[in-house]
Amino acid sequence: MRGAPLKAAVVGHPIAHSQSPTIHGHWLESTGIAGTYEALDFHPDSFAVDIRGLVERGFQGVNVTVPHKEAALALADTIDATARRIGASNTLVFTDGKIEARNTDAYGFWENLAPSLSGRVPSRALVLGAGGAARAVLVALQDAGVTDIVLANRTVSRARALADELADTAQIEALSWDDAEALMDRETLPLIVNTSSRGMKGENPITCAMAAQTAQTMVNDIVYNPLQTALLTNARARGCQTVDGLGMLLHQARPAFQAFFGGRVSVDAGLRHKVERRMGLV
Ligand code: ATR
């Protein structure tokens, strides 16, 4: 006898903007797995109760988005090592009534970037921004073997605190935004990653000169709306290599799909185009 369809969802507040139903829906279709994936708006006041309700209803798990990523960590019965280091969870997996918190953002970031680096691990990286997204990027860079990281933020005290908290196998130096702009004019860096919300649609774009950057520099913006941010356009004009941020969103979903539905899936051009069209990016 075939079992009931497997059930998963993305939970956030608000949730209408989430692309996760499109991504998981694409893979449910391509694998032929009998499953459902929905978007649920959970209010912060009732988040824990609402999650437990899904466990009781037999869900396999959920993806978690803003503003619940820290609350998700707090309610879990077990926490994997990556989620613990990042201090947030984007994936809750339900097994035998227990909730396991994972974080696949660091994985998604590196999977998106690594093919463009052709196996090279940058000796040094400049990370712009010290918010939630920076946490996953700092963990991923260290796990990949980057040992020298400069972390720049508008509020430099926040960069200092994050550097102190997350420095593990790398040395992380905290800088102000202005000092980072001066660094980009002075020194050719192998990798620059923007994790800040600057450059997002409706926000102040990053327009610094980057005078010392060359074809040796890889620039990755994890902002994906717009796909071509001012930072990436400027970097390309200087001859730098660039990677946009949409792939991180797509790749972070792969381990979650496998956990919820048991299927191994890949990020292909068809999926990327579907999400780009749905978001009005092309
Ligand atoms: P996320 O979880 O997406 O990283 P966040 O935690 O709110 O979001 O962090 C946003 C990041 O973008 C922060 O590093 C923030 O800098 P501050 O810590 O100084 O607030 C950065 N940011 C947002 N708007 C910015 C702007 N106009 N100029 C520079 N940095 C900005």
Side-chain angles (χ1 to χ4, degrees):
M1 198 183 81
R2 290 183 61 179
L6 301 166
K7 293 187 293 238
V10 58
V11 300
H13 182 73
I15 198 60
H17 65 281
S18 174
Q19 298 307 312
S20 293
T22 304
I23 299 168
H24 288 268
H26 175 87
W27 287 328
L28 284 171
E29 211 176 294
S30 67
T31 57
I33 292 171
T36 62
Y37 189 99
E38 54 192 302
L40 300 171
D41 191 330
F42 281 1
H43 194 274
D45 292 348
S46 57
F47 179 70
V49 171
D50 290 342
I51 289 290
R52 300 228 174 262
L54 296 183
V55 175
E56 275 155 33
R57 286 170 54 199
F59 274 63
Q60 271 58 50
V62 289
N63 287 119
V64 181
T65 187
V66 178
H68 301 310
K69 287 185 173 189
E70 285 85 21
L73 199 68
L75 67 70
D77 297 297
T78 56
I79 300 172
D80 84 359
T82 307
R84 192 178 291 283
R85 282 162 72 208
I86 294 172
S89 169
N90 72 335
T91 307
L92 295 175
V93 180
F94 308 153
T95 312
D96 300 329
K98 297 273 185 228
I99 301 172
E100 184 193 358
R102 301 183 187 176
N103 192 310
T104 66
D105 286 331
Y107 172 89
F109 163 74
W110 190 250
E111 283 289 294
N112 182 40
L113 184 60
S116 302
L117 295 171
S118 316
R120 280 172 293 124
V121 175
S123 51
R124 182 161 154 85
L126 169 62
V127 176
L128 300 169
R135 302 179 70 92
V137 168
L138 291 172
V139 165
L141 290 175
Q142 293 186 85
D143 285 354
V146 179
T147 53
D148 181 4
I149 299 172
V150 180
L151 177 63
N153 199 42
R154 175 178 59 182
T155 313
V156 69
S157 57
R158 211 173 165 201
R160 266 190 222 112
L162 199 55
D164 286 348
E165 183 189 335
L166 291 185
D168 178 10
T169 50
Q171 177 188 306
I172 307 181
E173 179 195 356
L175 283 190
S176 68
W177 194 283
D178 287 350
D179 286 346
E181 291 197 358
L183 178 68
M184 288 188 276
D185 285 341
R186 183 172 78 234
E187 178 188 323
T188 307
L189 296 153
L191 177 63
I192 298 171
V193 183
N194 176 47
T195 74
S196 81
S197 46
R198 266 192 78 175
M200 263 182 206
K201 207 170 161 184
E203 303 251 352
N204 185 18
I206 301 175
T207 54
C208 53
M210 306 171 79
Q213 307 315 307
T214 68
Q216 305 307 311
T217 308
M218 169 65 70
V219 181
N220 175 209
D221 201 332
I222 73 164
V223 168
Y224 54 83
N225 191 3
L227 268 182
Q228 285 308 311
T229 59
L231 175 71
L232 294 184
T233 303
N234 188 11
R236 269 224 216 120
R238 302 209 62 84
C240 305
Q241 305 161 70
T242 61
V243 171
D244 70 46
L246 186 60
M248 177 176 173
L249 174 74
L250 303 178
H251 280 287
Q252 60 77 32
R254 286 173 52 220
F257 186 89
Q258 191 171 353
F260 302 152
F261 302 114
R264 277 181 192 275
V265 285
S266 60
V267 169
D268 57 19
L271 172 61
R272 192 178 155 104
H273 289 148
K274 199 181 268 185
V275 174
E276 284 177 354
R277 277 197 305 275
R278 172 133 202 279
M279 293 185 71
L281 297 174
V282 287

